[in-house]
mmCIF file of all heavy atoms in Angstrom:
data_model
loop_
_atom_site.group_PDB
_atom_site.id
_atom_site.type_symbol
_atom_site.label_atom_id
_atom_site.label_comp_id
_atom_site.label_asym_id
_atom_site.label_seq_id
_atom_site.Cartn_x
_atom_site.Cartn_y
_atom_site.Cartn_z
ATOM 1 N N ALA A 5 -1.577 -52.833 -23.244
ATOM 2 C CA ALA A 5 -2.726 -53.676 -22.928
ATOM 3 C C ALA A 5 -3.785 -53.430 -23.982
ATOM 4 O O ALA A 5 -4.265 -52.311 -24.112
ATOM 5 C CB ALA A 5 -3.266 -53.347 -21.539
ATOM 6 N N GLY A 6 -4.134 -54.474 -24.725
ATOM 7 C CA GLY A 6 -5.162 -54.346 -25.757
ATOM 8 C C GLY A 6 -4.824 -53.311 -26.799
ATOM 9 O O GLY A 6 -5.698 -52.590 -27.252
ATOM 10 N N GLY A 7 -3.559 -53.151 -27.149
ATOM 11 C CA GLY A 7 -3.153 -52.202 -28.190
ATOM 12 C C GLY A 7 -3.003 -50.774 -27.691
ATOM 13 O O GLY A 7 -2.734 -49.872 -28.454
ATOM 14 N N VAL A 8 -3.186 -50.519 -26.396
ATOM 15 C CA VAL A 8 -3.045 -49.163 -25.851
ATOM 16 C C VAL A 8 -1.692 -49.066 -25.158
ATOM 17 O O VAL A 8 -1.356 -49.897 -24.317
ATOM 18 C CB VAL A 8 -4.168 -48.865 -24.832
ATOM 19 C CG1 VAL A 8 -3.953 -47.497 -24.209
ATOM 20 C CG2 VAL A 8 -5.525 -48.961 -25.482
ATOM 21 N N ASN A 9 -0.929 -48.059 -25.505
ATOM 22 C CA ASN A 9 0.376 -47.849 -24.901
ATOM 23 C C ASN A 9 0.173 -47.182 -23.540
ATOM 24 O O ASN A 9 -0.241 -46.033 -23.447
ATOM 25 C CB ASN A 9 1.231 -46.958 -25.818
ATOM 26 C CG ASN A 9 2.631 -46.769 -25.279
ATOM 27 O OD1 ASN A 9 2.870 -46.906 -24.087
ATOM 28 N ND2 ASN A 9 3.555 -46.468 -26.162
ATOM 29 N N MET A 10 0.447 -47.904 -22.474
ATOM 30 C CA MET A 10 0.226 -47.403 -21.114
ATOM 31 C C MET A 10 1.201 -46.275 -20.756
ATOM 32 O O MET A 10 0.880 -45.427 -19.934
ATOM 33 C CB MET A 10 0.356 -48.535 -20.089
ATOM 34 C CG MET A 10 -0.726 -49.597 -20.230
ATOM 35 S SD MET A 10 -2.392 -48.923 -20.221
ATOM 36 C CE MET A 10 -2.535 -48.458 -18.521
ATOM 37 N N ASP A 11 2.382 -46.231 -21.385
ATOM 38 C CA ASP A 11 3.316 -45.122 -21.144
ATOM 39 C C ASP A 11 2.677 -43.806 -21.565
ATOM 40 O O ASP A 11 2.792 -42.789 -20.888
ATOM 41 C CB ASP A 11 4.643 -45.326 -21.894
ATOM 42 C CG ASP A 11 5.488 -46.419 -21.248
ATOM 43 O OD1 ASP A 11 5.274 -46.694 -20.048
ATOM 44 O OD2 ASP A 11 6.342 -46.990 -21.945
ATOM 45 N N GLY A 12 1.989 -43.808 -22.675
ATOM 46 C CA GLY A 12 1.315 -42.594 -23.169
ATOM 47 C C GLY A 12 0.229 -42.141 -22.219
ATOM 48 O O GLY A 12 0.048 -40.952 -21.963
ATOM 49 N N VAL A 13 -0.509 -43.110 -21.664
ATOM 50 C CA VAL A 13 -1.560 -42.780 -20.707
ATOM 51 C C VAL A 13 -0.939 -42.143 -19.465
ATOM 52 O O VAL A 13 -1.417 -41.137 -18.947
ATOM 53 C CB VAL A 13 -2.384 -44.033 -20.336
ATOM 54 C CG1 VAL A 13 -3.321 -43.734 -19.178
ATOM 55 C CG2 VAL A 13 -3.158 -44.530 -21.542
ATOM 56 N N ASN A 14 0.158 -42.740 -18.989
ATOM 57 C CA ASN A 14 0.843 -42.190 -17.814
ATOM 58 C C ASN A 14 1.351 -40.782 -18.078
ATOM 59 O O ASN A 14 1.243 -39.899 -17.234
ATOM 60 C CB ASN A 14 1.994 -43.094 -17.379
ATOM 61 C CG ASN A 14 1.494 -44.376 -16.725
ATOM 62 O OD1 ASN A 14 0.375 -44.425 -16.237
ATOM 63 N ND2 ASN A 14 2.315 -45.412 -16.748
ATOM 64 N N GLU A 15 1.944 -40.571 -19.279
ATOM 65 C CA GLU A 15 2.433 -39.239 -19.621
ATOM 66 C C GLU A 15 1.273 -38.255 -19.651
ATOM 67 O O GLU A 15 1.371 -37.125 -19.148
ATOM 68 C CB GLU A 15 3.140 -39.244 -20.980
ATOM 69 C CG GLU A 15 4.500 -39.916 -20.925
ATOM 70 C CD GLU A 15 5.107 -40.111 -22.311
ATOM 71 O OE1 GLU A 15 4.599 -39.487 -23.267
ATOM 72 O OE2 GLU A 15 6.072 -40.867 -22.418
ATOM 73 N N TRP A 16 0.153 -38.637 -20.255
ATOM 74 C CA TRP A 16 -1.011 -37.759 -20.317
ATOM 75 C C TRP A 16 -1.496 -37.406 -18.912
ATOM 76 O O TRP A 16 -1.835 -36.276 -18.629
ATOM 77 C CB TRP A 16 -2.124 -38.468 -21.113
ATOM 78 C CG TRP A 16 -3.388 -37.659 -21.150
ATOM 79 C CD1 TRP A 16 -3.688 -36.654 -22.004
ATOM 80 C CD2 TRP A 16 -4.497 -37.781 -20.261
ATOM 81 N NE1 TRP A 16 -4.909 -36.128 -21.724
ATOM 82 C CE2 TRP A 16 -5.440 -36.804 -20.645
ATOM 83 C CE3 TRP A 16 -4.804 -38.606 -19.184
ATOM 84 C CZ2 TRP A 16 -6.656 -36.650 -19.998
ATOM 85 C CZ3 TRP A 16 -6.015 -38.436 -18.536
ATOM 86 C CH2 TRP A 16 -6.933 -37.464 -18.944
ATOM 87 N N TRP A 17 -1.486 -38.404 -18.014
ATOM 88 C CA TRP A 17 -1.928 -38.179 -16.642
ATOM 89 C C TRP A 17 -1.061 -37.127 -15.951
ATOM 90 O O TRP A 17 -1.561 -36.224 -15.297
ATOM 91 C CB TRP A 17 -1.891 -39.510 -15.883
ATOM 92 C CG TRP A 17 -2.232 -39.332 -14.426
ATOM 93 C CD1 TRP A 17 -1.377 -39.392 -13.377
ATOM 94 C CD2 TRP A 17 -3.519 -39.043 -13.870
ATOM 95 N NE1 TRP A 17 -2.032 -39.182 -12.197
ATOM 96 C CE2 TRP A 17 -3.370 -38.954 -12.467
ATOM 97 C CE3 TRP A 17 -4.784 -38.858 -14.408
ATOM 98 C CZ2 TRP A 17 -4.417 -38.690 -11.618
ATOM 99 C CZ3 TRP A 17 -5.833 -38.595 -13.539
ATOM 100 C CH2 TRP A 17 -5.642 -38.515 -12.174
ATOM 101 N N TRP A 18 0.272 -37.197 -16.119
ATOM 102 C CA TRP A 18 1.165 -36.222 -15.476
ATOM 103 C C TRP A 18 0.967 -34.839 -16.075
ATOM 104 O O TRP A 18 0.981 -33.844 -15.364
ATOM 105 C CB TRP A 18 2.634 -36.653 -15.597
ATOM 106 C CG TRP A 18 2.943 -37.831 -14.716
ATOM 107 C CD1 TRP A 18 3.292 -39.080 -15.107
ATOM 108 C CD2 TRP A 18 2.876 -37.878 -13.292
ATOM 109 N NE1 TRP A 18 3.452 -39.903 -14.019
ATOM 110 C CE2 TRP A 18 3.207 -39.187 -12.888
ATOM 111 C CE3 TRP A 18 2.567 -36.947 -12.307
ATOM 112 C CZ2 TRP A 18 3.245 -39.573 -11.565
ATOM 113 C CZ3 TRP A 18 2.611 -37.336 -10.981
ATOM 114 C CH2 TRP A 18 2.939 -38.644 -10.627
ATOM 115 N N ILE A 19 0.778 -34.743 -17.386
ATOM 116 C CA ILE A 19 0.509 -33.441 -18.021
ATOM 117 C C ILE A 19 -0.771 -32.855 -17.447
ATOM 118 O O ILE A 19 -0.848 -31.690 -17.096
ATOM 119 C CB ILE A 19 0.415 -33.581 -19.561
ATOM 120 C CG1 ILE A 19 1.807 -33.914 -20.120
ATOM 121 C CG2 ILE A 19 -0.149 -32.329 -20.204
ATOM 122 C CD1 ILE A 19 1.799 -34.330 -21.570
ATOM 123 N N ARG A 20 -1.783 -33.705 -17.341
ATOM 124 C CA ARG A 20 -3.078 -33.273 -16.811
ATOM 125 C C ARG A 20 -2.904 -32.752 -15.374
ATOM 126 O O ARG A 20 -3.469 -31.722 -14.998
ATOM 127 C CB ARG A 20 -4.047 -34.464 -16.843
ATOM 128 C CG ARG A 20 -5.382 -34.207 -16.232
ATOM 129 C CD ARG A 20 -6.252 -33.419 -17.139
ATOM 130 N NE ARG A 20 -7.544 -33.247 -16.498
ATOM 131 C CZ ARG A 20 -8.543 -32.647 -17.047
ATOM 132 N NH1 ARG A 20 -8.424 -32.179 -18.264
ATOM 133 N NH2 ARG A 20 -9.676 -32.500 -16.418
ATOM 134 N N GLN A 21 -2.105 -33.428 -14.550
ATOM 135 C CA GLN A 21 -1.861 -32.973 -13.179
ATOM 136 C C GLN A 21 -1.169 -31.610 -13.176
ATOM 137 O O GLN A 21 -1.494 -30.750 -12.380
ATOM 138 C CB GLN A 21 -1.010 -33.991 -12.421
ATOM 139 C CG GLN A 21 -1.804 -35.178 -11.914
ATOM 140 C CD GLN A 21 -0.966 -36.050 -11.008
ATOM 141 O OE1 GLN A 21 0.205 -36.283 -11.281
ATOM 142 N NE2 GLN A 21 -1.572 -36.540 -9.944
ATOM 143 N N ASP A 22 -0.175 -31.389 -14.082
ATOM 144 C CA ASP A 22 0.521 -30.105 -14.168
ATOM 145 C C ASP A 22 -0.438 -28.991 -14.545
ATOM 146 O O ASP A 22 -0.389 -27.891 -14.000
ATOM 147 C CB ASP A 22 1.675 -30.171 -15.181
ATOM 148 C CG ASP A 22 2.855 -30.980 -14.635
ATOM 149 O OD1 ASP A 22 2.885 -31.226 -13.421
ATOM 150 O OD2 ASP A 22 3.723 -31.356 -15.440
ATOM 151 N N VAL A 23 -1.333 -29.264 -15.521
ATOM 152 C CA VAL A 23 -2.314 -28.269 -15.941
ATOM 153 C C VAL A 23 -3.217 -27.909 -14.769
ATOM 154 O O VAL A 23 -3.499 -26.739 -14.517
ATOM 155 C CB VAL A 23 -3.143 -28.783 -17.149
ATOM 156 C CG1 VAL A 23 -4.331 -27.874 -17.414
ATOM 157 C CG2 VAL A 23 -2.268 -28.882 -18.384
ATOM 158 N N ASN A 24 -3.663 -28.933 -14.034
ATOM 159 C CA ASN A 24 -4.500 -28.677 -12.866
ATOM 160 C C ASN A 24 -3.767 -27.822 -11.833
ATOM 161 O O ASN A 24 -4.343 -26.926 -11.227
ATOM 162 C CB ASN A 24 -4.958 -29.991 -12.219
ATOM 163 C CG ASN A 24 -6.015 -30.693 -13.051
ATOM 164 O OD1 ASN A 24 -6.640 -30.087 -13.913
ATOM 165 N ND2 ASN A 24 -6.191 -31.975 -12.802
ATOM 166 N N LYS A 25 -2.479 -28.093 -11.628
ATOM 167 C CA LYS A 25 -1.683 -27.352 -10.664
ATOM 168 C C LYS A 25 -1.577 -25.891 -11.083
ATOM 169 O O LYS A 25 -1.763 -24.985 -10.272
ATOM 170 C CB LYS A 25 -0.288 -27.978 -10.543
ATOM 171 C CG LYS A 25 0.573 -27.340 -9.476
ATOM 172 C CD LYS A 25 1.894 -28.042 -9.370
ATOM 173 C CE LYS A 25 2.777 -27.384 -8.328
ATOM 174 N NZ LYS A 25 4.103 -27.964 -8.285
ATOM 175 N N ILE A 26 -1.285 -25.637 -12.366
ATOM 176 C CA ILE A 26 -1.181 -24.269 -12.875
ATOM 177 C C ILE A 26 -2.513 -23.553 -12.721
ATOM 178 O O ILE A 26 -2.579 -22.416 -12.272
ATOM 179 C CB ILE A 26 -0.712 -24.259 -14.354
ATOM 180 C CG1 ILE A 26 0.742 -24.740 -14.424
ATOM 181 C CG2 ILE A 26 -0.850 -22.877 -14.959
ATOM 182 C CD1 ILE A 26 1.211 -25.071 -15.817
ATOM 183 N N THR A 27 -3.596 -24.237 -13.069
ATOM 184 C CA THR A 27 -4.928 -23.636 -12.952
ATOM 185 C C THR A 27 -5.241 -23.304 -11.499
ATOM 186 O O THR A 27 -5.754 -22.238 -11.197
ATOM 187 C CB THR A 27 -5.992 -24.602 -13.529
ATOM 188 O OG1 THR A 27 -5.633 -24.909 -14.870
ATOM 189 C CG2 THR A 27 -7.365 -23.978 -13.521
ATOM 190 N N GLU A 28 -4.912 -24.204 -10.570
ATOM 191 C CA GLU A 28 -5.147 -23.947 -9.150
ATOM 192 C C GLU A 28 -4.355 -22.730 -8.676
ATOM 193 O O GLU A 28 -4.868 -21.902 -7.925
ATOM 194 C CB GLU A 28 -4.753 -25.176 -8.317
ATOM 195 C CG GLU A 28 -5.718 -26.338 -8.448
ATOM 196 C CD GLU A 28 -5.189 -27.609 -7.799
ATOM 197 O OE1 GLU A 28 -4.243 -27.515 -6.983
ATOM 198 O OE2 GLU A 28 -5.711 -28.688 -8.108
ATOM 199 N N GLU A 29 -3.109 -22.581 -9.146
ATOM 200 C CA GLU A 29 -2.290 -21.431 -8.770
ATOM 201 C C GLU A 29 -2.895 -20.146 -9.308
ATOM 202 O O GLU A 29 -2.946 -19.134 -8.603
ATOM 203 C CB GLU A 29 -0.854 -21.602 -9.284
ATOM 204 C CG GLU A 29 -0.075 -22.664 -8.534
ATOM 205 C CD GLU A 29 1.272 -22.968 -9.183
ATOM 206 O OE1 GLU A 29 1.623 -22.318 -10.186
ATOM 207 O OE2 GLU A 29 1.971 -23.872 -8.680
ATOM 208 N N ALA A 30 -3.372 -20.169 -10.552
ATOM 209 C CA ALA A 30 -3.992 -18.984 -11.150
ATOM 210 C C ALA A 30 -5.259 -18.601 -10.399
ATOM 211 O O ALA A 30 -5.489 -17.424 -10.100
ATOM 212 C CB ALA A 30 -4.306 -19.232 -12.629
ATOM 213 N N VAL A 31 -6.068 -19.603 -10.069
ATOM 214 C CA VAL A 31 -7.306 -19.345 -9.323
ATOM 215 C C VAL A 31 -6.976 -18.757 -7.951
ATOM 216 O O VAL A 31 -7.601 -17.788 -7.510
ATOM 217 C CB VAL A 31 -8.147 -20.640 -9.184
ATOM 218 C CG1 VAL A 31 -9.266 -20.459 -8.173
ATOM 219 C CG2 VAL A 31 -8.713 -21.052 -10.534
ATOM 220 N N LYS A 32 -5.963 -19.313 -7.281
ATOM 221 C CA LYS A 32 -5.573 -18.824 -5.956
ATOM 222 C C LYS A 32 -5.094 -17.372 -6.043
ATOM 223 O O LYS A 32 -5.446 -16.549 -5.202
ATOM 224 C CB LYS A 32 -4.467 -19.714 -5.370
ATOM 225 C CG LYS A 32 -4.135 -19.355 -3.932
ATOM 226 C CD LYS A 32 -3.101 -20.301 -3.368
ATOM 227 C CE LYS A 32 -2.794 -20.068 -1.921
ATOM 228 N NZ LYS A 32 -2.709 -18.720 -1.459
ATOM 229 N N ARG A 33 -4.303 -17.049 -7.086
ATOM 230 C CA ARG A 33 -3.813 -15.693 -7.257
ATOM 231 C C ARG A 33 -4.982 -14.720 -7.480
ATOM 232 O O ARG A 33 -5.044 -13.648 -6.887
ATOM 233 C CB ARG A 33 -2.830 -15.628 -8.431
ATOM 234 C CG ARG A 33 -2.048 -14.348 -8.507
ATOM 235 C CD ARG A 33 -0.886 -14.400 -9.488
ATOM 236 N NE ARG A 33 -1.234 -14.946 -10.770
ATOM 237 C CZ ARG A 33 -0.814 -16.113 -11.250
ATOM 238 N NH1 ARG A 33 -0.016 -16.858 -10.537
ATOM 239 N NH2 ARG A 33 -1.180 -16.537 -12.449
ATOM 240 N N ILE A 34 -5.944 -15.118 -8.310
ATOM 241 C CA ILE A 34 -7.118 -14.281 -8.565
ATOM 242 C C ILE A 34 -7.923 -14.094 -7.284
ATOM 243 O O ILE A 34 -8.362 -12.990 -6.959
ATOM 244 C CB ILE A 34 -7.997 -14.888 -9.693
ATOM 245 C CG1 ILE A 34 -7.258 -14.769 -11.030
ATOM 246 C CG2 ILE A 34 -9.360 -14.214 -9.764
ATOM 247 C CD1 ILE A 34 -7.861 -15.597 -12.145
ATOM 248 N N GLN A 35 -8.093 -15.193 -6.524
ATOM 249 C CA GLN A 35 -8.832 -15.102 -5.265
ATOM 250 C C GLN A 35 -8.132 -14.177 -4.272
ATOM 251 O O GLN A 35 -8.776 -13.399 -3.569
ATOM 252 C CB GLN A 35 -9.012 -16.496 -4.655
ATOM 253 C CG GLN A 35 -10.022 -17.349 -5.398
ATOM 254 C CD GLN A 35 -10.048 -18.792 -4.886
ATOM 255 O OE1 GLN A 35 -9.094 -19.279 -4.302
ATOM 256 N NE2 GLN A 35 -11.163 -19.463 -5.136
ATOM 257 N N ASP A 36 -6.782 -14.244 -4.227
ATOM 258 C CA ASP A 36 -6.025 -13.362 -3.335
ATOM 259 C C ASP A 36 -6.225 -11.903 -3.725
ATOM 260 O O ASP A 36 -6.418 -11.037 -2.863
ATOM 261 C CB ASP A 36 -4.528 -13.704 -3.358
ATOM 262 C CG ASP A 36 -4.219 -15.003 -2.629
ATOM 263 O OD1 ASP A 36 -5.094 -15.493 -1.884
ATOM 264 O OD2 ASP A 36 -3.102 -15.539 -2.816
#
Side-chain angles (χ1 to χ4, degrees):
V8 176
N9 183 337
M10 295 307 288
D11 287 338
V13 171
N14 287 338
E15 287 171 14
W16 177 84
W17 176 253
W18 288 114
I19 291 169
R20 175 77 178 183
Q21 280 188 319
D22 287 345
V23 169
N24 287 342
K25 185 177 178 185
I26 292 167
T27 304
E28 287 171 17
E29 289 172 3
V31 168
K32 187 177 184 320
R33 192 168 47 249
I34 290 167
Q35 287 172 337
D36 287 346

